[in-house]
């Protein structure tokens, strides 16, 4: 056991803890501050985020002994903080929470954004929040709430917030001061196993070596899904899926067909090209998730390598209703399997942001995309054979229908094995 002295929500405490005890467990189990939520316990989801000396850290991967002499603030300790008062009101006004599990961590990260990045726009707010995961809201209300507070302070600067920002720039801790501590009142009764540290000499420790990185740094790690992109774009990373299909035509004929983007788009359910200028096109793709419909409108550019029979379609789009955004690269490569048979290899690299991003997390996503590519290949074969009887582009692609068919196939296989 190790003796540790720290300040929690304005109260200096001394206790004995195991060296391996994480701060999140200490706060919940020993200090009984259960507003700090533990989710993944790997420093990824951000639900456990608290402030240590005014900086957001992951309490699930921060050792309690590493907080010796530090100031810890949990969601129970923000009552005297002007920024948190505004954030809480904005979270209510913009409906920025549903189940509330991620909210304590979101508020801690939101406070850091307001203090550290007074000129942050929506894109920067989303980047800073990338290390805090929410399974309910789609982030729209959370981003709007933080942007609301930033806008308020730009229009009418508040002296307390201005002072905190100046301290932060000077490297001075900016921990919130609880109302009780400001008024000189004993903030909270002693908890079992904890003793007030009023009689203990204040100790100054070296900078934390076991401290979790701030949210802005952790976000860079949390958002990585694949190590290397399928196409050497230099900047894009995301979810990578590989698939292929065969077409009963010679490679030269298939290559010529795949270069006609409006015709190719007609083979994909829900897709349509609205305008084309050289290798650049604008269009839309309609998607239907049960009762939820989306229509991504955007632009793409086709890069073709005739010698290698390889092409890359780079594009991005946005759904005006949900404000979800998608971007990615689709690389296809042709391989002559026989004189009259060509294999089309398809490599997809994409990222999805916004409310619809939740649909990209299922373990069936790869199976769904491969099935969609196979259906696309069948339509290509029909079109090249002169069959235009099925206007698939007029029908939105339905992931749920394909997912259910995949589940049915798996169930049949399971019973078949039995």
């Amino acid at each position: 056991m190790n003796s540790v002295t720290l300040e929690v929500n304005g109260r200096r405490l001394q206790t004995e803890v195991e060296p391996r005890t994480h701060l999140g467990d200490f706060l919940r189990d020993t200090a009984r501050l259960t507003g700090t939520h533990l989710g993944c316990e790997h420093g990824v989801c951000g639900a456990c985020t608290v402030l240590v000396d005014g900086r957001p850290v992951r309490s699930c991967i921060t050792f309690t002994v590493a907080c010796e002499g530090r100031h810890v603030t949990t969601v129970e300790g923000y009552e005297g903080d002007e920024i948190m008062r505004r954030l809480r009101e904005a979270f209510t006004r913009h409906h920025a929470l549903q189940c509330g599990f991620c909210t304590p961590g979101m508020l801690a990260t939101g406070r850091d954004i307001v203090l550290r990045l007074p000129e942050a726009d929506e894109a920067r707010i989303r980047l800073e929040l990338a290390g805090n995961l929410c399974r309910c809201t789609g982030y729209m209300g959370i981003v709007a709430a933080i942007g609301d507070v930033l806008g308020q302070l730009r229009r009418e600067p508040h002296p307390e917030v201005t002072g905190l920002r100046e301290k932060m720039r000077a490297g001075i801790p900016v921990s919130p001061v609880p109302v009780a501590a400001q008024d000189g009142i004993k903030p909270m009764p002693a908890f079992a196993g904890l003793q007030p540290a009023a009689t203990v000499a204040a100790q100054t420790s070296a900078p934390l070596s076991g401290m979790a990185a701030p949210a802005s740094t952790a976000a860079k790690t949390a958002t990585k899904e694949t190590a290397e992109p399928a196409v050497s774009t230099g900047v894009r990373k995301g979810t990578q899926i590989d698939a292929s299909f065969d077409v009963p035509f010679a490679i030269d004929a298939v290559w010529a067909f795949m270069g006609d983007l409006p015709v190719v788009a007609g083979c994909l359910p829900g897709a349509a090209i609205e305008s084309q200028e050289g290798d650049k096109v604008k269009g839309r793709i309609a998607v239907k998730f049960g009762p939820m419909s989306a229509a991504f409108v955007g632009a793409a550019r086709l890069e073709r390598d005739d010698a290698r029979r390889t092409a890359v379609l780079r594009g991005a789009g946005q759904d005006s209703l949900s404000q979800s955004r998608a971007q990615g690269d689709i690389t296809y490569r042709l391989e002559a399997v026989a004189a009259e048979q060509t294999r089309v290899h398809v490599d997809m690299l994409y990222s999805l942001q916004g409310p619809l991003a939740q649909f990209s997390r299922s373990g069936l996503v790869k199976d769904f995309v491969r099935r969609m590519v196979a259906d696309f290949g069948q339509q290509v074969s029909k079109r090249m054979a002169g069959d235009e009887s099925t206007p698939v582009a007029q029908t939105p692609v339905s992931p749920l229908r394909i997912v259910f068919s995949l589940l049915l196939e798996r169930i049949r296989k399971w019973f078949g094995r039995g």
Side-chain angles (χ1 to χ4, degrees):
M1 299 288 284
N2 286 45
S3 177
V4 62
T5 303
L6 68 161
E7 183 177 292
V8 181
N9 296 338
R11 177 184 176 85
R12 291 188 65 79
L13 302 169
Q14 182 184 38
T15 188
E16 299 287 324
V17 297
E18 292 282 353
R20 65 175 179 271
T21 302
H22 287 114
L23 180 60
D25 294 320
F26 170 78
L27 292 172
R28 288 182 59 84
D29 300 336
T30 306
R32 299 293 190 268
L33 295 170
T34 54
T36 298
H37 296 157
L38 298 179
C40 67
E41 299 194 62
H42 286 77
V44 175
C45 75
C48 70
T49 304
V50 299
L51 301 182
V52 176
D53 285 349
R55 291 171 47 199
V57 301
R58 304 289 201 261
S59 65
C60 73
I61 56 173
T62 300
F63 290 117
T64 307
V65 293
C67 297
E68 172 68 30
R70 301 287 172 166
H71 301 264
V72 179
T73 307
T74 70
V75 71
E76 294 93 343
Y78 291 129
E79 292 305 320
D81 188 68
E82 174 64 21
I83 297 176
M84 195 55 66
R85 180 188 69 79
R86 293 172 182 247
L87 279 172
R88 283 172 165 170
E89 291 177 356
F91 265 57
T92 300
R93 188 162 53 252
H94 292 277
H95 308 288
L97 68 157
Q98 288 186 32
C99 78
F101 191 84
C102 72
T103 304
M106 287 288 185
L107 288 171
T109 302
R111 182 182 185 274
D112 177 67
I113 295 171
V114 172
L115 268 179
R116 187 165 47 84
L117 301 166
E119 301 301 323
D121 57 9
E122 179 184 342
R124 186 57 188 269
I125 293 172
R126 287 183 176 278
L127 175 63
E128 296 293 324
L129 285 176
N132 290 71
L133 305 183
C134 175
R135 298 299 296 273
C136 301
T137 67
Y139 305 93
M140 297 297 294
I142 298 170
V143 173
I146 296 173
D148 186 348
V149 174
L150 285 167
Q152 294 174 27
L153 293 171
R154 281 195 287 265
R155 291 189 297 271
E156 297 182 17
H158 190 281
E160 180 181 328
V161 179
T162 301
L164 290 172
R165 286 171 172 170
E166 291 175 354
K167 286 182 178 180
M168 174 171 277
R169 285 193 289 269
I172 301 173
V174 288
S175 297
V177 180
V179 172
Q182 289 178 334
D183 296 338
I185 302 172
K186 189 176 181 180
M188 63 182 76
F191 296 106
L194 295 176
Q195 296 181 0
T199 58
V200 180
Q203 302 179 30
T204 303
S205 63
L208 295 176
S209 59
M211 185 64 68
S216 59
T217 302
K220 297 176 182 177
T221 301
T223 54
K224 290 184 179 179
E225 293 186 60
T226 55
E228 294 294 335
V231 183
S232 181
T233 61
V235 293
R236 288 181 177 171
K237 292 187 178 181
T239 301
Q240 180 178 326
I241 300 176
D242 303 331
S244 65
F245 61 88
D246 288 353
V247 181
F249 292 92
I251 189 170
D252 290 339
V254 178
W255 179 248
F257 179 88
M258 296 294 286
D260 191 337
L261 286 179
V263 175
V264 171
C267 298
L268 183 65
I273 301 296
E274 297 174 348
S275 66
Q276 180 175 5
E277 183 178 344
D279 60 353
K280 298 179 181 178
V281 295
K282 293 182 179 180
R284 62 176 175 79
I285 181 167
V287 184
K288 184 174 178 60
F289 297 91
M292 182 182 295
S293 297
F296 286 90
V297 178
R301 185 180 74 255
L302 181 65
E303 302 172 2
R304 284 166 58 92
D305 185 337
D306 293 320
R308 298 180 180 178
R309 297 289 196 275
T310 301
V312 183
L313 184 66
R314 309 184 193 278
Q318 179 168 331
D319 174 47
S320 59
L321 182 61
S322 69
Q323 295 298 307
S324 296
R325 294 191 294 270
Q327 65 174 1
D329 299 340
I330 300 178
T331 302
Y332 61 87
R333 176 176 55 85
L334 272 57
E335 175 190 1
V337 179
E340 293 296 325
Q341 185 173 2
T342 302
R343 180 160 298 158
V344 181
H345 299 273
V346 181
D347 300 327
M348 301 179 64
L349 177 69
Y350 72 92
S351 63
L352 188 61
Q353 296 176 324
L356 296 181
Q358 60 184 303
F359 294 102
S360 69
R361 296 172 183 165
S362 169
L364 291 170
V365 168
K366 290 189 177 182
D367 286 342
F368 155 65
V369 172
R370 291 192 178 103
R371 170 61 67 86
M372 190 171 68
V373 170
D375 291 347
F376 170 72
Q378 292 177 4
Q379 293 297 326
V380 169
S381 298
K382 288 182 179 180
R383 288 297 181 90
M384 291 190 68
D387 181 1
E388 299 184 7
S389 60
T390 309
V392 293
Q394 298 178 10
T395 306
V397 60
S398 176
L400 289 182
R401 176 181 59 80
I402 298 177
V403 166
F404 285 140
S405 67
L406 289 168
L407 285 171
L408 183 59
E409 285 184 9
R410 290 188 178 186
I411 292 172
R412 285 173 177 168
K413 289 181 180 178
W414 293 336
F415 280 99
R417 291 195 187 113

